[in-house]
Amino acid sequence: MTTIATTRKPAGTLIIGAGQAGLQLATSLRELGDTHPITVIGGELHPPYQRPPLSKAFLSGTALQEELALRGSDFYRDNDIAMICGEWVEAIELHDAESSAGHARTASGRRVEFDRLAFTVGGTPRRMNAPGADLAGIHYLRTLDDAVALKDDLNRAARVVVVGGGFVGLEIAAAATSNGKNVVVLEAQDRLMSRAVAPEMSAFYSEAHARRGTHIRLGAAVSGFRGSDRVEGVELADGEVIDADVVVVGIGLLPHTELAKSIGLAGDHGVIVDESGNTRIRGIVAAGDCAISAHRTHGQIRLESVPNAIAQAKTAAAALLGREPGTPSVPWFWSDQADLKLQMAGLTMGYDQVVLRGDVEGEHFSALYYRDGHLIAVEAVNASRDYMAARRILEAGGNIPPESAADTEIPLKTYLVR
Ligand SMILES: Cc1cc2nc3c(=O)[nH]c(=O)nc-3n(C[C@H](O)[C@H](O)[C@H](O)COP(=O)(O)OP(=O)(O)OC[C@H]3O[C@@H](n4cnc5c(N)ncnc54)[C@H](O)[C@@H]3O)c2cc1C
């Protein structure tokens, strides 16, 4: 009797979500020498592209759609990465509850087998739940298609209302103001970017935007939208109505958790991973905006930034291949609002002291955040040199003594040497 031994062809890795993190994960797997199949499935029609310019250069007209792609089509071919765009994964099933292998099914009925799985599914903008919220002319900005529609509508608008004074809302407001629109920002809290920056920085940005012609309204809670077919105004809780041809809502992101939840790997706030990107099932990872991960000092946190998506995807790729993860990096982020370049590193949560350094009125300064006298974060406005030095000090676990941090005669890099 002859026995013919057959070896099953590996199904490889399925990456759900073709954004910044998904692309990086696929790229890192190949860079680390993974020769098994890699399939990336993305719900958008476009292959991975840069989101940050959507609220900045693309909206203000200095970057074109074709300049946003992260990689050309030859990259996917050359690296043997199957990139499937425009298909939404609706369901996943594991062979058994603890196995990383299984199959996924897309809305079009495609079935994709996998041995290992990665969630890089990002999130969706939090929606307004108020009367009139589904009127035409009310926009959210997450995707390239959203940005194309918004830009088109803005071209015909004179009066723009932005609901939400966070990073994305303020970037949109700055772009629209610089394009000659009359722009009002409505922020329900008593200061801008309140979840991310210190009151000193919020106050600076309120004044800086006002100087450039954007109307900032703080403590302005939206109760509804006026209009018959299209939006014509935004109603505030006190009954005031602000006229609007276009409204953009930027009130946060809800991570996509449905698929991971269906196999017990997510809570309401994200896909739960450890600092290597592993879920509790070996061979299933998550990275980017959808992942809520264990942080050395801050417990469970979910970050929304390009550098975080890249760093987590690299770590998760190493985890899938059983390699050592790299050293965890200090989180960093940037936001360009008009000609103000804000660069941030570290996490400000739990700070008890802020030292301002530089020329606040001249729009060239930084804010250094401390806890118990130790530097934990930096935010710099048009002050890249201070930002880079402080970030390197944070990465090295060093300190800038708070009592001398405001002295601009002493370059911050001095403290790195020490
Ligand atoms: C307007 C804007 C401006 C920004 N500016 C900055 C900035 O200045 N600096 C910065 O650091 N960050 C910025 N960000 C944030 C940054 O873009 C994100 O943190 C980053 O893109 C996250 O990447 P990701 O891969 O985790 O998620 P995403 O880029 O959102 O990618 C996830 C992808 O998964 C797809 N997907 C989800 N579920 C499924 C499914 N079931 N089936 C198939 N596909 C699915 C989604 O369609 C999406 O394409 C900005 C974001 C926006 C929207």
Side-chain angles (χ1 to χ4, degrees):
M1 197 174 82
T2 326
T3 310
I4 303 171
T6 54
T7 40
R8 177 181 152 272
K9 250 176 87 186
T13 303
L14 172 62
I15 300 173
I16 306 178
Q20 190 85 51
L23 170 60
Q24 184 61 54
L25 221 155
T27 308
S28 295
L29 284 173
R30 285 288 180 251
E31 283 170 358
L32 291 169
D34 185 16
T35 53
H36 289 180
I38 299 175
T39 306
V40 185
I41 303 185
E44 293 182 63
L45 285 171
H46 315 280
Y49 58 88
Q50 307 168 59
R51 287 190 204 285
L54 298 182
S55 51
K56 309 174 184 75
F58 179 74
L59 213 54
S60 57
T62 53
L64 300 173
Q65 178 168 339
E66 48 275 25
E67 293 166 348
L68 301 183
L70 283 164
R71 297 286 191 173
S73 53
D74 49 346
F75 175 83
Y76 303 108
R77 191 194 54 230
D78 295 349
N79 286 281
D80 198 15
I81 295 168
M83 177 63 67
I84 302 170
C85 297
E87 292 215 27
W88 196 258
V89 176
E90 279 195 333
I92 40 179
E93 228 171 274
L94 301 180
H95 291 334
D96 65 67
E98 296 308 314
S99 155
S100 67
H103 70 268
R105 200 179 294 282
T106 69
S108 70
R110 187 197 293 262
R111 181 185 159 110
V112 181
E113 304 286 334
F114 56 83
D115 297 320
R116 299 180 298 222
L117 181 63
F119 292 103
T120 53
V121 286
T124 190
R126 187 188 296 276
R127 303 265 148 183
M128 285 292 296
N129 182 14
D134 49 7
L135 283 169
I138 300 180
H139 293 259
Y140 296 83
L141 178 54
R142 179 71 189 174
T143 66
L144 178 54
D145 293 345
D146 293 340
V148 170
L150 172 60
K151 195 172 172 190
D152 189 46
D153 228 7
L154 280 175
N155 282 339
R156 292 186 293 268
R159 298 160 307 176
V160 179
V161 173
V162 176
V163 180
F167 294 119
V168 171
L170 291 171
E171 289 175 357
I172 295 168
T177 301
S178 71
N179 281 353
K181 312 297 174 190
N182 184 322
V183 182
V184 181
V185 174
L186 302 175
E187 168 54 54
Q189 302 296 317
D190 59 1
R191 63 188 185 88
L192 297 177
M193 302 180 283
S194 60
R195 279 188 308 146
V197 306
E200 292 85 343
M201 199 54 96
S202 299
F204 166 78
Y205 268 90
S206 283
E207 285 160 25
H209 280 290
R211 279 196 289 278
R212 287 163 176 77
T214 303
H215 307 279
I216 305 285
R217 300 278 304 266
L218 302 174
V222 172
S223 59
F225 300 91
R226 295 274 181 90
S228 37
D229 298 331
R230 255 195 87 84
V231 70
E232 289 167 14
V234 181
E235 194 178 299
L236 300 183
D238 64 5
E240 185 187 356
V241 176
I242 299 170
D243 294 338
D245 305 315
V246 165
V247 173
V248 193
V249 181
I251 53 170
L253 186 81
L254 297 175
H256 283 301
T257 54
E258 321 77 57
L259 288 176
K261 255 188 187 171
S262 74
I263 52 171
L265 299 180
D268 288 337
H269 304 296
V271 187
I272 302 162
V273 293
D274 63 18
E275 55 184 358
S276 303
N278 284 306
T279 64
R280 66 169 177 75
I281 300 178
R282 206 182 161 79
I284 305 186
V285 297
D289 285 10
C290 69
I292 182 158
S293 74
H295 186 270
R296 276 168 298 159
T297 50
H298 291 81
Q300 295 285 102
I301 52 171
R302 191 177 64 76
L303 299 172
E304 294 169 18
S305 77
V306 166
N308 175 64
I310 292 173
Q312 280 190 334
K314 286 182 177 174
T315 308
L320 281 181
L321 300 179
R323 308 281 175 81
E324 281 296 304
T327 328
S329 55
V330 169
W332 61 277
F333 184 74
W334 78 93
S335 173
D336 296 336
Q337 300 172 28
D339 53 343
L340 302 169
K341 185 168 195 64
L342 175 61
Q343 294 170 290
M344 294 160 275
L347 296 170
T348 58
M349 281 105 88
Y351 74 90
D352 54 24
Q353 186 183 1
V354 182
V355 177
L356 295 182
R357 172 186 166 91
D359 181 3
V360 179
E361 279 180 13
E363 302 187 335
H364 182 89
F365 70 103
S366 45
L368 298 152
Y369 292 75
Y370 290 86
R371 189 170 50 226
D372 299 330
H374 205 87
L375 184 71
I376 56 167
V378 59
E379 284 159 3
V381 177
N382 295 338
S384 293
R385 199 171 296 160
D386 277 359
Y387 164 75
M388 277 316 297
R391 184 173 141 191
R392 287 176 62 202
I393 291 165
L394 286 165
E395 280 166 353
N399 200 16
I400 301 168
E403 54 282 3
S404 52
D407 185 349
T408 51
E409 295 292 309
I410 310 173
L412 289 188
K413 64 176 188 215
T414 317
Y415 302 106
L416 185 64
V417 178
R418 279 181 198 167

